[in-house]
Amino acid sequence: MSDGDDLTIARHLVHRLQGLGVTEGFGIVGDFVLKFVGAVEAEGFPILTTADEQGAGFAADAYARVRGFGVAFCTYGVGGLKLANAAAGAWAEQVPLLIVSGAPGVAERERDPMLHHRVKDFDTQLRVFEDLTCAQAVLTSVHSAADEIDRVISHMLAEQRPGYIEVPRDMVGHVIEAPDGGLDPHLPPVDQESLRHAVDDVLDHLRQARTAAIHAGALVDRRNVADALFRVATQAGIPVATSSLGRGVFPERHDLGLGVYLGALSPERIVRRVEDADVLLSVGVLQTDLTLGAFTAHIDHEKYILATDTDVTVGYRTYRDVPLWAFLPALADALAGESLTIDHTPFETHEPFIPTDDPVSVSDVVHGIEVHLDERHALLLDPGEALFSAVDMRVPTYAHASAYYATMGYAVPGALGVGKADPGRRPVVVVGDGAFIMTALEAATCAFHQVPAIIIVLDNSGYGTQRPILDGPFNDIPPIAADRLIEAFGTGRGFDVTTRAELHAALQNAVNYDGLCILRVHIPRDARSAALERLGEALRARA
């Protein structure tokens, strides 16, 4: 057993997490992880309890998008398998989310007993996560435990993917051997000659261009090159649109900010600036159906420059081993000596919100949020109307969403993660009523952990995203008076909103109140944003 300065699994893991800037985790205890959570908290690393394990995973995922790494703790079987969906989302959207699961002890597994929470055999949960994470470890040896922790974290940082660590409960108190080295995340390799040729090729295109645009994605943030992106844009005067997964990698309210490019879902003014540009530079964008508007993006590949996590393609020429982390800073340095003339007229700022007694539309909610939010706020958008309608909004800081994997219920627990990772900003959630009922109790978790989230529920009595594709009773859900949940929680304020005037007042009051706020905004059943109409048309055509 350990004492004093002896190295244990908990002590080593906490040391590594804190070294990455991670100061808390999220999770729910159970008997197989209870002792380990106690040991972790004894090392000064709090585990914030959530209402459900999936909520812990979503909170840790959102935390990782802000801090660069996040961790969720769970018990074996019933807890770990609930986190499979969060791990899948983190894999799809390249988020370094670490899942730490307790497990039956090594000695307990002798003679193959039927212990509770077990499925098939003792490695079933491990095999599930082998498909959902980039690295896994079961810490069964005091000789290798520290090195195994370092191996998993190193792979996660290198690949920007989730990882999995399983801790048998009889290993918790053991003294373990010190690791052989430190974390060793191998970034995608760079070929210096290819890098030089790629930068020269891109510069040649920009010198000849009258108009240009940048489409920036989530990997700009994951690879910590947002500063280089800003230098490229401002030195060359190139306007920037972001992907729905990358909102915040460039300030949308900057004169060069265009907002979100999402193919045909975006406003026409953004589509024209992006698709009609003489040169379009795509940096760190995950080329998915949803981030490209159900593949409605119309890009001329002869004018297209694609910078991925590993390569740069200029037209039909690909430069291998030119990763984003090296390319963007090199391009910024090269542009420092250039004098380019790129045409760009900044978009006009939003118009004032006029409160009236008219019923609330989706566009009213988007307009109201854009007017009332500022640099003190961060947005979380749930899949569906909340996500798609926001393409008409230029956010003040950043907006996180499950914008590709599109798992409903992400945003409310995500607010807890953002509130803890970025305590200087208040999380504002936009969520449909269908997604809200999936994780609504995590609103109480936010209040319990002193995160004063503002939650805006778009209540259109069901799954409004599906209705344009195919309507039927399967899209109807039980009604819930979301604004009255604060009575059950015993804290916060609720607002029942039916008119533009009530929306204006509710947003003003919520922004000025330092506590949990839930706005139930009644939207007509058949109301939907122009973006959702366009998406529905695209999906119907594909179906």
Side-chain angles (χ1 to χ4, degrees):
M1 301 297 288
S2 70
D3 56 22
D5 295 327
D6 290 334
L7 189 64
T8 63
I9 292 173
R11 181 162 294 166
H12 183 64
L13 178 62
V14 168
H15 174 70
R16 290 298 189 225
L17 292 172
Q18 290 175 338
L20 295 171
V22 181
T23 54
E24 57 258 299
F26 307 86
I28 295 179
V29 298
D31 58 341
F32 286 117
V33 78
L34 189 61
K35 188 177 179 182
F36 187 62
V37 167
V40 166
E41 293 212 343
E43 297 294 333
F45 191 89
I47 309 301
L48 307 185
T49 304
T50 53
D52 184 78
E53 285 88 355
Q54 181 176 239
F58 290 158
D61 176 290
Y63 189 101
R65 295 180 195 223
V66 176
R67 290 277 182 99
F69 203 90
V71 58
F73 291 78
C74 63
T75 195
Y76 181 72
V78 293
L81 296 178
K82 279 189 177 184
L83 274 167
N85 188 50
W91 175 275
E93 298 183 356
Q94 292 197 233
V95 179
L97 163 66
L98 175 62
I99 292 172
V100 179
S101 176
V106 176
E108 290 179 280
R109 305 184 189 202
E110 295 179 6
R111 299 186 180 180
D112 202 31
M114 294 182 66
L115 297 181
H116 62 288
H117 299 338
R118 176 182 167 177
V119 181
K120 291 184 71 175
D121 57 48
F122 287 113
D123 288 336
T124 297
Q125 180 171 298
L126 171 65
R127 290 197 298 273
V128 169
F129 280 99
E130 284 175 345
D131 256 356
L132 301 176
T133 60
C134 69
Q136 314 81 34
V138 181
L139 307 183
T140 58
S141 169
V142 296
H143 305 295
S144 62
D147 287 326
E148 286 290 271
I149 290 171
D150 288 357
R151 178 182 61 81
V152 170
I153 294 176
S154 293
H155 276 285
M156 292 173 63
L157 295 173
E159 300 181 33
Q160 291 294 292
R161 302 280 191 185
Y164 175 79
I165 292 176
E166 191 172 298
V167 185
R169 60 179 172 182
D170 58 0
M171 291 294 296
V172 174
H174 287 291
V175 176
I176 63 174
E177 292 182 6
D180 288 337
L183 296 180
D184 188 21
H186 293 286
L187 292 174
V190 56
D191 181 316
Q192 293 296 334
E193 185 175 359
S194 291
L195 173 61
R196 179 173 57 83
H197 286 299
V199 170
D200 287 345
D201 201 350
V202 173
L203 282 177
D204 285 343
H205 279 70
L206 291 176
R207 291 183 187 119
Q208 300 173 42
R210 181 181 61 83
T211 61
I214 295 172
H215 188 210
L219 286 173
V220 171
D221 182 56
R222 306 287 194 269
R223 293 305 184 191
N224 297 309
V225 288
D227 288 345
L229 170 65
F230 189 83
R231 286 198 292 139
V232 168
T234 54
Q235 289 171 170
I238 305 175
V240 180
T242 63
S243 78
S244 53
L245 271 173
R247 303 193 71 171
V249 299
F250 187 87
E252 293 183 13
R253 295 185 180 182
H254 189 280
D255 281 349
L256 291 171
L258 296 178
V260 183
Y261 174 66
L262 208 62
L265 278 76
S266 291
E268 184 68 10
R269 64 178 187 173
I270 297 176
V271 173
R272 297 278 60 84
R273 293 287 184 96
V274 172
E275 295 185 0
D276 293 347
D278 294 337
V279 174
L280 175 59
L281 174 58
S282 173
V283 290
V285 177
L286 299 181
Q287 306 287 305
T288 77
D289 58 346
L290 289 187
T291 54
L292 295 177
F295 294 133
T296 58
H298 294 290
I299 305 298
D300 182 348
H301 279 268
E302 291 190 358
K303 304 187 296 184
Y304 197 39
I305 298 169
L306 177 64
T308 71
D309 200 29
T310 56
D311 306 305
V312 171
T313 298
V314 182
Y316 296 99
R317 297 179 297 282
T318 297
Y319 299 91
R320 302 294 183 191
D321 294 329
V322 181
L324 188 68
W325 68 264
F327 170 71
L328 264 185
L331 181 60
D333 291 343
L335 282 167
E338 293 287 327
S339 179
L340 303 179
T341 305
I342 302 295
D343 289 349
H344 171 65
T345 302
F347 287 155
E348 296 179 1
T349 58
H350 51 250
E351 299 177 355
F353 187 88
I354 308 299
T356 68
D357 291 331
D358 296 325
V360 179
S361 67
V362 178
S363 60
D364 289 333
V365 177
V366 171
H367 188 193
I369 293 172
E370 185 175 27
V371 168
H372 287 88
L373 265 56
D374 56 33
E375 289 75 12
R376 300 169 297 170
H377 304 101
L379 270 173
L380 290 112
L381 307 170
D382 221 273
E385 188 66 280
L387 174 65
F388 299 129
S389 64
V391 301
D392 289 312
M393 180 198 315
R394 294 167 78 191
V395 302
T397 54
Y398 55 82
H400 289 310
S402 177
Y404 163 45
Y405 185 62
T407 178
M408 294 173 68
Y410 173 87
V412 176
L416 174 61
V418 166
K420 288 300 180 181
D422 189 4
R425 290 193 174 93
R426 188 176 183 188
V428 178
V429 171
V430 188
V431 56
D433 54 336
F436 180 68
I437 64 173
M438 294 181 180
T439 53
L441 289 181
E442 301 297 358
T445 303
C446 288
F448 181 68
H449 293 299
Q450 292 80 52
V451 172
I454 299 173
I455 299 172
I456 302 166
V457 182
L458 305 179
D459 192 337
N460 60 0
S461 303
Y463 300 130
T465 307
Q466 311 299 332
R467 286 177 176 144
I469 306 170
L470 181 65
D471 202 2
F474 38 77
N475 289 321
D476 299 332
I477 64 173
I480 181 171
D483 56 301
R484 298 188 63 183
L485 282 176
I486 54 100
E487 299 173 19
F489 297 162
T491 185
R493 290 183 181 176
F495 304 88
D496 193 37
V497 174
T498 59
T499 68
R500 286 172 55 92
E502 290 172 347
L503 176 63
H504 176 70
L507 286 170
Q508 278 192 324
N509 285 321
V511 167
N512 293 318
Y513 173 69
D514 189 21
L516 174 68
C517 293
I518 301 178
L519 286 65
R520 181 190 187 190
V521 183
H522 296 267
I523 304 294
R525 177 187 173 94
D526 59 350
R528 52 188 61 96
S529 67
L532 187 56
E533 289 281 12
R534 292 190 291 267
L535 177 66
E537 291 174 7
L539 293 180
R540 278 196 299 273
R542 293 184 66 193

